[in-house]
Amino acid sequence: MTSKSWVNEIKKQMKLKGVDSRGFENVIQTLAEILEQRDKIYKQFQDEGALVMVEYTSDRGNVNQIINPLLKEWQNMNRDALVYWRELGLTPAGLKKLNEDLMKEKKESALDAVLSKLEGKK
């Protein structure tokens, strides 16, 4: 998917979870770009045969088997995306944290306390 498609999907998911996406535009855009790049890397990995291990020739001419660098990068992109998903409330833990922050009782200011007492005396 393109980053624009990802932006729409992320906002849709946030709406389904009851999270207001306003104010998160930069974070959403960054996540969308990570996901677009991740999709491209995964497609390249698939197109090249989806090999988990590939041959690598060192500068000394030794041939070794290593984990496919595309697979490693795809995993890194997923890890990076997870951080943003959490921050946007798109994981259970992230949503719980956002909801707890919103539900925390706000401290009443001294002025509010005095005004409340005055209203109660009328």
Side-chain angles (χ1 to χ4, degrees):
M1 283 198 312
T2 65
S3 65
K4 184 174 177 146
S5 298
W6 274 116
V7 166
N8 293 333
E9 181 63 25
I10 293 164
K11 286 182 177 180
K12 179 177 142 190
Q13 291 299 315
M14 289 177 74
K15 185 175 182 181
L16 287 172
K17 302 272 191 262
V19 178
D20 187 0
S21 64
R22 290 177 296 181
F24 290 106
E25 286 81 14
N26 291 335
V27 178
I28 292 169
Q29 185 61 43
T30 301
L31 175 57
E33 290 169 8
I34 289 170
L35 294 172
E36 178 184 27
Q37 191 64 34
R38 180 200 68 166
D39 291 348
K40 287 178 182 177
I41 289 170
Y42 189 71
K43 182 176 181 340
Q44 183 180 353
F45 172 72
Q46 291 292 321
D47 291 347
E48 293 181 8
L51 301 172
V52 175
M53 302 297 287
V54 294
E55 283 189 355
Y56 169 76
T57 305
S58 72
D59 55 352
R60 293 184 177 188
N62 297 330
V63 178
N64 299 305
Q65 291 284 320
I66 62 168
I67 295 175
N68 191 328
L70 291 171
L71 183 58
K72 280 182 159 181
E73 189 58 30
W74 181 74
Q75 291 171 330
N76 289 339
M77 293 280 196
N78 278 327
R79 197 171 303 118
D80 292 347
L82 182 58
V83 172
Y84 288 90
W85 282 325
R86 271 192 215 120
E87 291 301 314
L88 294 172
L90 297 175
T91 65
L95 184 59
K96 181 180 177 187
K97 180 163 179 18
L98 275 179
N99 286 338
E100 285 177 357
D101 289 347
L102 294 174
M103 299 299 280
K104 282 184 182 174
E105 191 173 319
K106 294 180 181 175
K107 291 185 179 180
E108 188 176 40
S109 71
L111 179 60
D112 287 337
V114 170
L115 292 174
S116 293
K117 287 179 183 176
L118 290 175
E119 286 178 0
K121 291 182 180 180
K122 290 182 180 181

